[in-house]
Amino acid sequence: MAPIPGSGLAKGLAVTLRTMTRKHVTAQYPDAQPDLPPRTRGVIGLFEENCTVCMLCARECPDWCIYIDSHKETIPAATPGGRERSRNVLDRFAIDFSLCMYCGICIEVCPFDALFWSPEFEYAETDIRDLTHERDKLREWMWTVPAPPALDPGAEEPKEIAAARKTAEKLAAAQAQEAATQAEPQEQQEQEGES
């Protein structure tokens, strides 16, 4: 049996008509902002006060897209006869987002919590050289970082907090006992003075 001429065209038009009558699921992005899931990886924010210029993030970056410059400053001795200290001061912290592959290794290895994921994703540029963002821009994104999720109320208490709590309770008990032993002689003196 020979196919009916034009049946392929009719099937194609039927598919088009079915699609035209369905509700649209595409969000028109510039007009409607997307609902991002929590903890979305958008861009990296820098909390500059926590950065000690340890260079771990730059060394561990597989793309070598983090640029850090610093200098040493001498801090005078806190006590007379003490030793002067030196510390690193951050001069430049830049990330080249044209090279970054958003693996998050820099955030994971930072021992001082200076780098965080921000959900900001609208940072396109017309020139690739403008995708290297300096510390001022990274600091602006820090304020868009969402708060960490709340702890599970049913989880066990971390060992560090439990140890600190027990130590604080022992110290409070020892101070209360010491105060009670100091109060006993004063009470006896007051009773002897009254009689």
Side-chain angles (χ1 to χ4, degrees), residues 19 22-29 32:
T19 306
R22 290 187 187 148
K23 182 181 175 189
H24 297 287
V25 294
T26 303
Q28 301 300 321
Y29 162 64

Side-chain angles (χ1 to χ4, degrees), residues 3 5 30 40 87-88 97 114:
T40 298
R87 69 178 179 117
N88 288 330
F97 286 105

Side-chain angles (χ1 to χ4, degrees), residues 87-157:
R87 69 178 179 117
N88 288 330
V89 177
L90 186 65
D91 292 330
R92 180 180 186 222
F93 193 104
I95 299 177
D96 188 352
F97 286 105
S98 65
L99 296 176
C100 183
M101 65 179 183
Y102 304 92
C103 63
I105 292 175
C106 57
I107 295 169
E108 296 297 322
V109 300
C110 183
F112 300 104
D113 289 334
L115 297 172
F116 295 90
W117 283 116
S118 168
E120 294 295 316
F121 62 92
E122 298 175 311
Y123 55 95
E125 300 287 346
T126 56
D127 188 1
I128 196 168
R129 290 173 289 195
D130 294 334
L131 282 173
T132 301
H133 296 292
E134 299 292 330
R135 68 181 180 176
D136 298 331
K137 186 69 174 172
L138 298 175
R139 185 177 182 81
E140 287 176 26
W141 283 323
M142 184 60 212
W143 309 122
T144 62
V145 172
L151 296 176
D152 183 10
E156 349 181 313
E157 187 176 37

Side-chain angles (χ1 to χ4, degrees), residues 24-88:
H24 297 287
V25 294
T26 303
Q28 301 300 321
Y29 162 64
D31 300 327
Q33 291 294 320
D35 292 330
L36 299 173
R39 312 304 290 174
T40 298
R41 289 184 177 192
V43 74
I44 298 168
L46 170 69
F47 192 55
E48 196 174 328
E49 287 78 15
N50 286 358
C51 183
T52 61
V53 196
C54 65
M55 307 287 244
L56 273 174
C57 54
R59 281 185 290 194
E60 295 294 327
C61 180
D63 293 332
W64 291 47
C65 64
I66 300 175
Y67 310 110
I68 301 174
D69 292 329
S70 66
H71 70 275
K72 287 202 181 272
E73 250 182 28
T74 304
I75 302 170
T79 58
R83 187 178 106 192
E84 289 183 340
R85 305 277 181 182
S86 67
R87 69 178 179 117
N88 288 330

